[in-house]
Amino acid sequence: DAKTTQPPSMDCAEGRAANLPCNHSTISGNEYVYWYRQIHSQGPQYIIHGLKNNETNEMASLIITEDRKSSTLILPHATLRDTAVYYCIVPRNAGNMLTFGGGTRLMVKP
Amino acid sequence: GAVVSQHPSWVICKSGTSVKIECRSLDFQATTMFWYRQFPKQSLMLMATSNEGSKATYEQGVEKDKFLINHASLTLSTLTVTSAHPEDSSFYICSAHLAGGPTDTQYFGPGTRLTVL
């Protein structure tokens, strides 16, 4: 997997947008960026993924820079239930061999 | 859709006994399933890749004779921790690969917390 770098922790006020950055400067042209999150004592949950276009689904938006060396996951209106560790992963083969780094621990505060 | 279950959700056993954990993909078939282990305050570590009908591929440092993996069907993989010891106490998580489709990614089970006394 291409190496990713994320800040270890972030805080966000409830109701505000949470913007979680990820650097993946060694990403190859055909590699996707995947985001997962893990709420305490649960299995990871798939959030969103993208190749080069911005993506949006019911959970979040993913903004990928034009050079694809970084991306930002946006939770538009964070709630307390969004408190979790968020992982940005660039798997070598889509769906296979996920390598989990430290992720970003997002704390949503009232 | 894309739901993965694990059973049991938690288990306590005595040292020296064996424990079996089941992982099921409930609404899709998965040729490939994965087993991870997570110690407190650490990230997930891949233990092995399980392919239906063939032997599992273990990551370096994971003892294949201790962690027996069986993937006998496209919806079920099992992990058996043999002769468990207190250092095997951990959070075990499985995932199933939903190939193709809009996401082509792994979906994770809720995890099994193993405590070995």
Side-chain angles (χ1 to χ4, degrees):
Chain A
D1 297 357
K3 181 176 173 56
T4 61
T5 304
Q6 298 177 254
S9 64
M10 292 181 64
D11 289 345
C12 177
E14 187 179 20
R16 305 297 295 268
N19 297 283
L20 292 89
C22 178
N23 286 322
H24 32 77
S25 58
T26 61
I27 193 170
S28 297
N30 60 348
E31 291 179 326
Y32 285 75
V33 180
Y34 281 78
W35 284 82
Y36 299 81
R37 73 179 182 183
Q38 185 178 26
I39 296 170
H40 183 63
S41 294
Q42 297 182 24
Q45 177 188 23
Y46 164 80
I47 301 173
I48 199 168
H49 76 290
L51 182 62
K52 54 184 178 180
N53 296 323
N54 296 338
E55 302 288 345
T56 295
N57 62 20
E58 65 278 5
M59 291 184 68
S61 294
L62 175 61
I63 308 298
I64 303 174
T65 58
E66 192 169 344
D67 63 7
R68 302 209 327 118
K69 292 184 177 182
S70 65
S71 60
T72 300
L73 179 74
I74 301 173
L75 308 178
H77 306 286
T79 71
L80 299 179
R81 288 179 294 180
D82 291 322
T83 292
V85 179
Y86 288 76
Y87 296 98
C88 166
I89 301 175
V90 179
R92 181 170 298 115
N93 299 304
N96 289 316
M97 294 295 293
L98 297 180
T99 301
F100 286 82
T104 295
R105 185 173 298 276
L106 176 68
M107 180 74 72
V108 180
K109 299 183 175 181
Chain B
V3 179
V4 177
S5 69
Q6 278 185 245
H7 178 80
S9 55
W10 60 269
V11 56
I12 301 173
C13 70
K14 294 181 178 180
S15 185
T17 61
S18 294
V19 174
K20 179 185 284 188
I21 303 170
E22 292 186 349
C23 176
R24 294 181 185 273
S25 55
L26 299 185
D27 51 3
F28 66 99
Q29 294 184 329
T31 303
T32 306
M33 291 185 173
F34 302 86
W35 287 95
Y36 297 81
R37 180 168 52 182
Q38 186 175 34
F39 292 107
K41 298 189 183 301
Q42 295 186 21
S43 191
L44 282 77
M45 294 293 294
L46 179 66
M47 298 176 65
T49 302
S50 167
N51 290 295
E52 187 264 340
S54 63
K55 291 183 178 181
T57 301
Y58 291 81
E59 295 300 300
Q60 190 172 5
V62 178
E63 302 174 55
K64 61 177 174 30
D65 294 330
K66 182 172 182 61
F67 298 99
L68 302 179
I69 292 173
N70 184 279
H71 192 163
S73 78
L74 290 174
T75 59
L76 173 65
S77 177
T78 60
L79 168 68
T80 301
V81 183
T82 62
S83 186
H85 291 285
E87 57 266 29
D88 299 322
S89 297
S90 188
F91 192 48
Y92 291 86
I93 306 168
C94 73
S95 71
H97 178 206
L98 176 57
T103 60
D104 191 10
T105 189
Q106 295 179 35
Y107 289 88
F108 290 81
T112 297
R113 188 162 301 282
L114 170 63
T115 301
V116 184
L117 302 177

